[in-house]
């Protein structure tokens, strides 16, 4: 595989469309939560069942995949091929979007949740295929940078998703149309379903490899005996993925309730701030992906300042096109400097980056909990900046030293995306007891575990003769 040292952009770009879709739908859920809460008269805990239904589907999908592979005595994805698996995953997601039509017509919250569950079930299969495929489309050494770049494209979807869905439900920011009509959600999701099917067909006939050499080699050498679980860096890393996805999702999905209840925002005015949270993920990931574009250290230093502000510029542009007032957001440019400084301090070491970013995440949530007004809102949205690169950091630490058990370890990690399903409703429950603002103590506890994992994984890996103190190219 290493002879193909350049990233295959002709194959990578079509693949990136599925990363975009995951982000678009996941962030749009944060608009649906307050809309459903109001329309169906739900408690804060009940409204978080949107996150539960969506993220638990990833775990159910992983278990179905593992179960079918075991029953067939062969890896399901290797058998039907990577392109076919992607197309199948998109088709499953399209079926889920169709449920929004009868759900909206009948005003059924249960049917809405079922639709989201099936959409995410398709995403589970897509994730299992697309993550290793992104790594395989070029040099292994820049694999995790490609994954971070794909994450940046994912977060372009998360930036515009809330704006488009909010526009579909409420009209423009200046519109007098403020009444809530649950039937208005069905059109954007039917359009999304059509897009899923179109991309499924395009990917089926694209130049993407059906059996990438890198992943095929890993599959052949993987004994599938469950021995990956004997590595403490993986077991502790599974908990780390669980709490990381949990804090990322619950921070955003509980933000509308805080802004409505404590700051007096109306439901229709929340979208730009949800967009800013997910744009923060994009800002951080674009910063972390600069090594995928160039090996020159001097150019990387320049790009580390250009990339985050370019991503921030995209956020401002899409909000300008949506006729939102940009004045409240310019000050956020200063907060981005904290991200750049934290990124420079990490020196490309995934354990150090996980430690620094998690500590700053704790500080951001403490500020969000103990200040008021827009200062608290910006503190909470900045959590997106410091969550942005944690996935590849945790993934790298968790699978380091696993050797032939690497792909098996990866499937266990993807299963732990269910953290988004558990921790969001948990924060909703805590909010009903101690109030929405103080419920962010849940996120602080998640970051505290990530600080522990960054320190513990470093000592575990050093004992195994693995150190990231020297040059780390994408965690390899």
């Amino acid at each position: 595989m290493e002879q193909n040292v350049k990233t295959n952009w002709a194959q990578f770009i079509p693949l990136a469309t599925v990363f975009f879709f995951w982000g678009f739908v996941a962030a749009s859920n944060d608009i649906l939560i307050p809309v459903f809460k109001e329309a169906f008269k739900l408690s804060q805990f009940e409204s978080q069942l949107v996150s539960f239904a969506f993220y638990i589907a990833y775990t159910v999908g992983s278990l179905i995949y593992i179960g079918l592979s075991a029953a067939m005595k062969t890896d399901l994805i290797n058998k039907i091929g990577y392109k076919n698996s992607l197309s199948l995953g998109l088709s499953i997601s399209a079926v889920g979007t169709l449920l929004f039509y009868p759900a909206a017509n009948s005003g059924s919250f249960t049917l809405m949740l079922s639709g989201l569950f099936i959409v995410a079930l398709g995403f589970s299969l897509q994730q299992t295929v697309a993550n290793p495929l992104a790594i395989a489309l070029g040099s292994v050494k820049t694999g995790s940078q490609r994954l971070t770049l794909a994450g940046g494209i994912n977060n372009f979807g998360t930036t515009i998703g809330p704006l488009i869905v909010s526009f579909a439900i409420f009209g423009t920011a200046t519109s007098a149309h403020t009444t809530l009509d649950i039937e208005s959600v069905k059109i954007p999701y039917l359009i999304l379903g059509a897009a899923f099917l179109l991309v499924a067909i395009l990917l089926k006939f694209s130049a993407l490899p059906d059996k990438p050499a890198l992943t095929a080699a890993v599959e052949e050498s993987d004994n599938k005996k469950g021995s990956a679980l004997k590595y403490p860096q993986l077991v502790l890393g599974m908990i780390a993925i669980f709490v990381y996805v949990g804090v990322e999702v619950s921070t955003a999905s509980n933000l509308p309730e805080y802004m409505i209840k404590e700051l007096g925002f109306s439901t229709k005015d929340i979208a730009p701030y949800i967009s800013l949270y997910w744009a923060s993920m994009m800002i951080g990931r674009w910063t972390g992906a600069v090594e995928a574009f160039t090996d020159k250290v001097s150019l990387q230093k320049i790009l580390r300042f250009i990339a985050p502000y370019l991503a921030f510029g995209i956020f401002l542009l899409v909000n300008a096109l949506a006729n939102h007032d940009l004045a409240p957001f310019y000050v956020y440019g200063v907060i981005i400097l904290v991200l750049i400084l934290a990124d420079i301090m990490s020196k490309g070491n995934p354990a150090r980056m996980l430690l620094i970013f998690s500590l700053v995440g704790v500080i951001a949530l403490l500020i969000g909990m103990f200040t008021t007004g827009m200062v608290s809102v910006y503190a909470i949205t900045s959590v997106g900046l410091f969550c942005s690169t944690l996935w590849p950091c945790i993934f790298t630490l968790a699978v380091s030293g696993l050797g032939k058990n690497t792909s098996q370890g990866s499937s266990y990690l993807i299963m732990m995306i269910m953290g988004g399903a558990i921790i969001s409703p948990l924060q909703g429950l805590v909010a009903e007891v101690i109030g929405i603002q103080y419920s962010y103590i849940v996120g602080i506890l998640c970051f505290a575990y990530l600080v522990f994992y960054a320190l513990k994984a470093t000592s575990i890996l050093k004992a195994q003769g693995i150190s990231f103190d020297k040059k780390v190219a994408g965690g390899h």
Side-chain angles (χ1 to χ4, degrees), residues 16-64:
T17 56
V18 294
F19 285 84
F20 172 85
F21 283 145
W22 305 337
F24 187 100
V25 176
S28 298
N29 289 346
D30 295 331
I31 296 298
L32 293 182
I33 287 168
V35 167
F36 287 174
K37 187 180 181 196
E38 194 177 322
F40 298 118
K41 304 290 185 282
L42 308 173
S43 70
Q44 182 62 8
F45 170 73
E46 288 170 332
S47 72
Q48 295 302 312
L49 291 175
V50 170
S51 294
F52 178 82
F54 188 76
Y55 288 98
I56 204 69
Y58 280 94
T59 301
V60 173
S62 293
L63 290 171
I64 291 171

Side-chain angles (χ1 to χ4, degrees), residues 100-108 183 186:
F100 275 78
Y101 196 85
N105 284 345
S106 62
S108 169
E183 288 199 31
K186 63 190 179 187

Side-chain angles (χ1 to χ4, degrees), residues 231-246:
Y231 294 90
Q233 65 265 38
L234 176 70
V235 176
L236 294 174
M238 288 166 66
I239 302 169
I241 287 287
F242 180 92
V243 298
Y244 152 68
V245 177

Side-chain angles (χ1 to χ4, degrees), residues 10 82 133 268 288 295 364 401:
Y82 272 62
L133 202 51
K268 76 181 186 71
D295 294 328

Side-chain angles (χ1 to χ4, degrees), residues 255-371:
L255 180 60
E257 174 71 359
Y258 169 61
M259 294 180 70
I260 292 165
K261 205 167 186 177
E262 301 295 327
L263 303 179
F265 277 74
S266 67
T267 307
K268 76 181 186 71
D269 294 328
I270 296 294
Y273 296 91
I274 297 299
S275 172
L276 177 63
Y277 177 83
W278 293 106
S280 296
M281 298 283 290
M282 176 171 70
I283 290 163
R285 284 175 176 169
W286 285 25
T287 308
V290 295
E291 286 181 43
F293 293 100
T294 179
D295 294 328
K296 294 179 180 174
V297 177
S298 58
L299 187 54
Q300 285 175 9
K301 285 178 180 174
I302 297 166
L303 287 175
R304 274 201 173 86
F305 281 89
I306 294 174
Y309 286 105
L310 186 62
F312 185 48
I314 289 173
F315 161 77
L316 293 173
L317 177 63
V318 294
N319 275 277
L321 293 173
N323 288 325
H324 293 138
D325 179 17
L326 300 184
F329 302 113
Y330 294 132
V331 69
Y332 205 71
V334 179
I335 301 172
I336 292 169
L337 289 172
V338 179
L339 166 81
I340 296 169
L341 180 63
D343 185 60
I344 292 168
M345 286 170 65
S346 70
K347 298 177 182 174
N349 179 321
R352 191 180 291 120
M353 180 175 277
L354 180 58
L355 177 66
I356 293 169
F357 278 45
S358 298
L359 284 170
V360 181
V362 168
I363 294 167
L365 283 179
L366 284 171
I367 294 170
M369 283 170 65
F370 295 106
T371 59

